[in-house]
């Protein structure tokens, strides 16, 4: 069977008109003799509305019920698409993740797909049916519904492509590919023809929402070929493939950024072995992700300053945990919510010296102060004041020849 997985994101199924349009895209593949597996997100805005409802009705809404609630968004979209395909004369039906089943492990709201049953769906595909599967969700070993992290329909599509050995997985979204930076931030952004899994993983982990990071890990591990395309135009998109097949020689492939960071500085922390661990232990136990960290070397060996970043949504909780922490002593806690992280990404960095210098010099030339730095083999991130975000992205984009 020539199987293809098509995933439609929130905007692509955002209105009934859009659902009619994407039904036609699905039909175009059926006509090309593909067995089509469709994965849908919730209509845009629906998941956020459901999250708000849970928050309004209870401050302690159970995580398990939150996942049941959120999964309804995808259920609605899948029925609408299947209904429209039937209306157009095609054999189609919706499949909830538990009916397949799509098995997940891990916590509610951040589960990962580990297995997908293929028997029923294969029979259905053979008979000429087109299944419309709810993305973003699965079933755990207690037979309860789970959801994947936000944007997780991408992961559903990629894992379906793996388990059904699909020729490709096409991610239909509201931009016509992966760009050198968010095309909604600057017109200078250019579409990238092909990107390695590693580069896409870094770009998305560092803020390029176009693909969910966990989905790219899954794709890399299982060698799933991905195309990212627009459901609004019929232009060629971006391929996400193995590193060896990439021909582009640019050192830096993209500039990513985040807008929802907060910086916390603890000044005058009593310095002794284990102090950093004592600060971060309660954060880790409360699932608060600490991102960038700098600890200043104390001049007298008695006191130190420690700065780190977290997601701004975690700020209140973090402040509480730190003030209640009896294992640490410090003089002052300073919070800055108006910070953003800008990162440059490219595998070429591994073999090219001077990239860090060029990045810092380009920012310095425009008097943009770097607050915190972090690096890995294929990325460099800096924390800056949010007011400098657009300017920084544009100047780094230019510095590393991405404007061409
Ligand atoms: P979907 O609902 O289809 O899953 P998302 O909103 O999750 O779509 O992702 C698409 C969005 O990702 C675009 O509208 C764009 O603003 C954003 N984005 C961020 N960085 C990039 C990038 N480098 N290339 C393309 N899009 C990006
Ligand atoms: N509807 C979910 C979300 O908004 C999953 C997805 O869109 O991929 O995060
Ligand atoms: Mg998405």
């Amino acid at each position: 069977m020539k199987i293809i997985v098509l995933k439609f994101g929130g905007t692509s199924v955002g209105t009934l008109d859009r659902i009619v349009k994407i039904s036609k895209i699905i039909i175009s593949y059926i006509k090309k003799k593909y067995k089509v597996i469709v994965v849908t997100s919730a209509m845009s805005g629906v998941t956020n509305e459901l999250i708000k409802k849970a928050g309004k009705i209870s401050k302690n809404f159970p995580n398990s019920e939150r996942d049941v609630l959120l999964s309804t968004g995808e259920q609605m979209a899948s029925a609408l698409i299947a209904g429209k395909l039937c209306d157009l004369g095609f054999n189609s039906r919706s499949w909830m993740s538990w009916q397949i089943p799509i098995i997940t492990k891990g916590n509610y709201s951040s589960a990962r797909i580990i297995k997908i049953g293929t028997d029923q769906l294969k029979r259905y595909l053979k008979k000429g049916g087109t299944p419309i599967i709810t993305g973003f969700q699965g079933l755990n070993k207690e037979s309860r519904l789970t959801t994947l992290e936000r944007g997780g329909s991408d992961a559903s599509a990629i894992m379906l492509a793996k388990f059904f050995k699909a020729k490709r997985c096409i991610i239909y979204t509201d931009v016509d590919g992966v760009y050198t930076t968010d095309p909604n931030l600057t017109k200078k952004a250019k579409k990238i023809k092909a990107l390695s899994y590693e580069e896409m993983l870094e770009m998305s982990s560092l803020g390029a929402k176009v693909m969910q990071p966990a989905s790219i890990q899954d794709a890399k591990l299982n060698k799933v070929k991905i195309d990212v395309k627009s459901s609004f135009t019929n232009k060629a998109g971006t391929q996400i493939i193995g590193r060896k097949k990439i021909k582009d020689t640019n050192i830096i492939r993209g500039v990513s950024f985040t807008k929802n960071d907060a910086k916390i500085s603890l000044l005058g922390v009593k310095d002794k072995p284990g102090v950093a661990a004592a600060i971060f232990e309660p954060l880790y136990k409360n699932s608060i992700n600490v991102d960038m960290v700098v600890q200043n070397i104390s001049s007298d060996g008695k006191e130190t300053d420690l700065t780190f970043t977290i997601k701004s949504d975690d700020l209140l909780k973090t402040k509480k945990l730190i003030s209640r922490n009896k294992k640490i002593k410090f003089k002052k806690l300073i919070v800055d919510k108006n910070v953003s992280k800008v990162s440059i990404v490219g595998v070429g960095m591994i073999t090219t010296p001077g990239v860090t210098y060029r990045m810092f010099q380009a920012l310095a030339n425009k008097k943009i102060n770097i607050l915190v730095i972090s690096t890995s083999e294929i990325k460099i991130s800096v924390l800056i004041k949010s007011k400098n975000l657009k300017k920084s992205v544009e100047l780094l984009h230019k510095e590393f020849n991405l404007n061409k």
Side-chain angles (χ1 to χ4, degrees):
M1 276 198 288
K2 196 168 81 166
I3 297 179
I4 194 157
V5 174
L6 309 180
K7 178 257 169 178
F8 296 94
T11 324
S12 303
V13 296
T15 62
L16 296 183
D17 276 351
R18 293 297 320 156
I19 290 181
V20 174
K21 295 234 161 66
I22 63 115
S23 299
K24 292 184 179 149
I25 296 178
I26 298 168
I27 292 169
S28 72
Y29 286 92
I30 300 173
K31 288 190 170 156
K32 282 186 223 152
K33 303 274 179 264
Y34 278 105
K35 300 286 181 197
V36 185
I37 295 178
V38 177
V39 177
T40 185
S41 293
M43 296 170 86
S44 58
V46 168
T47 310
N48 287 343
E49 278 307 316
L50 293 167
I51 292 174
K52 272 195 212 146
K53 282 199 169 79
K56 270 191 192 151
I57 206 158
S58 160
K59 288 271 164 293
N60 300 305
F61 202 80
N63 288 337
S64 51
E65 292 310 328
R66 181 185 177 275
D67 283 13
V68 176
L69 180 67
L70 297 202
S71 68
T72 60
E74 272 69 14
Q75 177 162 338
M76 168 164 73
S78 67
L80 286 169
I81 300 170
K84 186 65 211 172
L85 283 173
C86 292
D87 176 53
L88 294 169
F90 291 82
N91 177 11
S92 180
R93 61 158 277 197
S94 60
W95 292 78
M96 307 301 104
S97 50
W98 59 268
Q99 293 171 317
I100 297 174
I102 293 178
I103 307 294
T104 62
K105 72 166 193 195
N107 295 338
Y108 290 109
S109 81
S110 59
R112 298 285 291 256
I113 296 172
I114 50 169
K115 202 166 170 256
I116 299 181
T118 54
D119 297 352
Q120 295 187 75
L121 273 178
K122 273 188 182 154
R123 280 198 299 276
Y124 182 67
L125 287 166
K126 266 193 193 134
K127 280 197 300 189
T130 302
I132 317 294
I133 298 173
T134 51
F136 182 51
Q137 57 200 261
L139 198 67
N140 67 14
K141 59 175 190 296
E142 282 88 40
S143 295
R144 299 220 53 182
L145 285 179
T146 55
T147 64
L148 317 177
E149 273 167 45
R150 293 301 305 271
S153 299
D154 293 338
S156 309
I158 280 156
M159 291 308 269
L160 280 156
K162 170 201 151 63
F163 279 96
F164 284 87
K165 300 192 175 63
K167 298 259 178 261
R168 315 194 72 78
C169 177
I170 307 188
I171 305 287
Y172 277 100
T173 181
D174 58 359
V175 282
D176 57 6
V178 180
Y179 278 68
T180 47
T181 191
D182 188 344
N184 287 322
L185 180 86
T186 169
K187 288 198 178 72
K188 300 267 161 57
K190 294 279 174 305
K191 189 161 67 186
I192 304 171
K193 265 195 188 148
L195 203 61
S196 66
Y197 295 113
E198 290 85 352
E199 288 166 323
M200 187 69 248
L201 181 57
E202 286 287 358
M203 279 182 68
S204 57
S205 310
L206 295 165
K209 177 176 176 238
V210 60
M211 287 298 301
Q212 189 220 27
S215 75
I216 300 298
Q217 283 175 340
D218 291 337
K220 179 174 185 248
L221 216 62
N222 298 297
K223 298 196 175 67
V224 175
K225 288 186 200 132
I226 307 171
D227 278 324
V228 181
K229 289 183 76 160
S230 166
S231 65
F232 292 75
T233 64
N234 196 17
K235 292 185 189 152
T238 299
Q239 291 188 353
I240 303 170
I241 47 180
R243 198 194 281 199
K244 286 188 191 126
K245 292 191 190 131
I246 307 283
K247 294 200 181 76
D248 192 323
T249 51
N250 225 1
I251 308 163
I252 300 303
R253 308 296 310 288
V255 182
S256 286
F257 58 88
T258 54
K259 287 180 178 169
N260 53 348
D261 299 281
K263 175 169 79 81
I264 296 187
S265 297
L266 296 178
L267 307 186
V269 182
K270 264 221 149 62
D271 200 8
K272 56 179 183 201
V275 66
I279 293 171
F280 294 131
E281 187 189 9
L283 306 190
Y284 148 73
K285 285 195 170 151
N286 283 275
S287 308
I288 293 170
N289 200 12
V290 174
D291 183 14
M292 306 169 101
V293 185
V294 260
Q295 184 179 349
N296 296 349
I297 299 168
S298 52
S299 50
D300 56 2
K302 286 181 191 148
E303 282 185 355
T304 179
D305 299 338
L306 188 97
T307 297
F308 59 92
T309 63
I310 49 166
K311 292 278 156 257
S312 31
D313 283 349
D314 292 329
L315 189 55
L316 272 182
K317 209 167 159 192
T318 305
K319 272 167 73 180
K320 259 190 211 156
L321 289 167
I322 289 180
S323 51
R324 279 194 214 135
N325 188 341
K326 296 214 168 64
K327 288 191 193 158
I328 50 169
K329 284 209 171 67
F330 57 89
K331 288 191 175 134
K332 204 171 173 191
L333 182 150
I334 303 173
V335 168
D336 190 349
K337 272 176 81 171
N338 299 314
V339 290
S340 297
K341 184 169 72 171
V342 179
S343 310
I344 55 172
V345 174
V347 287
M349 222 183 264
I350 302 172
T351 46
T352 318
V355 178
T356 316
Y357 164 74
R358 269 175 76 187
M359 180 182 195
F360 295 173
Q361 191 60 54
L363 292 165
N365 287 345
K366 295 284 178 218
K367 307 224 167 350
I368 294 168
N369 197 21
I370 300 174
L371 308 171
V372 186
I373 301 164
S374 80
T375 63
S376 82
E377 228 188 358
I378 67 164
K379 68 111 198 219
I380 307 169
S381 302
V382 293
L383 194 75
I384 52 162
K385 286 269 175 209
S386 297
K387 64 171 195 240
N388 293 324
L389 176 66
K390 187 161 190 266
K391 197 165 144 193
S392 304
V393 170
E394 285 181 341
L395 77 90
L396 292 173
H397 202 264
K398 185 163 176 234
E399 172 65 30
F400 291 100
N401 305 322
L402 298 172
N403 283 357
K404 286 179 196 154

